[in-house]
Amino acid sequence: KKRYKNWNVNLIFTGKNTMTGGRIKRLKKYIGNETFLATYGDGLSNVNIKSLIKFHKKNKRIVTLTAVRPPARFGAIKLKGNLVSYFKEKSKVDEGWINGGFFVLNPKIFKFIKNDKTFFEREPLEKSARSKNLCAFKHKGFWQCVDTKRDRDRINILLKNKKIKL
């Protein structure tokens, strides 16, 4: 395995009531003018971080988010009146892209974040999108949120049965 040098890890208490945008804003003095990575920490993925960073640099935008297709929890149907014109059980293909929670951020993002009450997913990402400064890195590999006990149990089963390629 490769050993990485020059890593500097800081654990920063950003406040119990600080929203996601405010948490990022409070890191400004540690980040300086460096491009940086952020994640919510409640998801598991095999996203290739090197490819994500390379994509971000190539597209020269303020924010790159990792777009994923969520695992389908329910079957999809389309209706024409009372008749089902389409039926597909738990098909990931029919789901849209969502924010997968892995970001590469240019420090210019701090200008989009007002204060501790700012939700990163609202004004900062919405303004970035409107100003054409938000890119999506489409990740087609494994991704799973871990928001509930059901999610955690699913991950544990997949890991136990070696169904996840991380």
Side-chain angles (χ1 to χ4, degrees):
K1 287 189 174 186
K2 239 183 192 180
R3 297 242 174 204
Y4 293 95
K5 296 179 183 178
N6 301 323
W7 278 55
N8 186 10
V9 176
N10 294 290
L11 299 176
I12 312 301
F13 180 69
T14 57
K16 187 170 120 181
N17 298 316
T18 306
M19 297 298 111
T20 50
R23 292 180 190 280
I24 291 171
K25 182 99 172 174
R26 285 180 173 235
L27 301 177
K28 185 176 180 180
K29 66 182 177 184
Y30 301 97
I31 302 298
N33 291 321
E34 298 281 331
T35 295
F36 63 103
L37 305 176
T39 184
Y40 299 122
D42 63 354
L44 185 63
S45 181
N46 64 356
V47 64
N48 184 314
I49 299 296
K50 286 182 182 178
S51 296
L52 174 62
I53 293 168
K54 184 177 177 182
F55 177 89
H56 177 78
K57 288 179 180 177
K58 178 183 171 196
N59 285 281
K60 299 177 183 172
R61 297 295 187 254
I62 294 174
V63 179
T64 298
L65 65 75
T66 302
V68 299
R69 291 184 183 262
R73 290 181 58 188
F74 306 101
I77 63 171
K78 290 182 184 173
L79 299 173
K80 284 189 180 176
N82 292 337
L83 294 176
V84 175
S85 62
Y86 174 86
F87 178 90
K88 187 72 173 175
E89 184 61 19
K90 296 184 181 178
S91 172
K92 193 165 151 175
V93 174
D94 297 310
E95 301 292 325
W97 293 95
I98 64 165
N99 172 8
F102 296 91
F103 303 92
V104 183
L105 303 166
N106 179 298
K108 290 178 184 173
I109 192 63
F110 295 123
K111 293 178 188 173
F112 291 81
I113 303 170
K114 189 174 182 180
N115 57 35
D116 282 359
K117 296 185 189 314
T118 303
F119 287 89
F120 185 62
E121 307 75 16
R122 293 190 185 149
E123 297 93 15
L125 290 184
E126 289 171 4
K127 285 180 183 177
S128 295
R130 281 195 303 272
S131 64
K132 296 184 175 26
N133 277 298
L134 177 61
C135 274
F137 176 80
K138 293 179 181 175
H139 175 64
K140 296 177 182 174
F142 179 80
W143 177 87
Q144 174 68 53
C145 65
V146 188
D147 295 332
T148 65
K149 181 182 179 310
R150 177 183 179 186
D151 296 333
R152 188 200 66 201
D153 292 346
R154 180 174 187 271
I155 291 288
N156 286 334
I157 289 167
L158 292 171
L159 287 168
K160 181 180 174 185
N161 296 325
K162 298 182 181 171
K163 299 280 185 184
I164 300 175
K165 293 180 182 179
L166 296 176

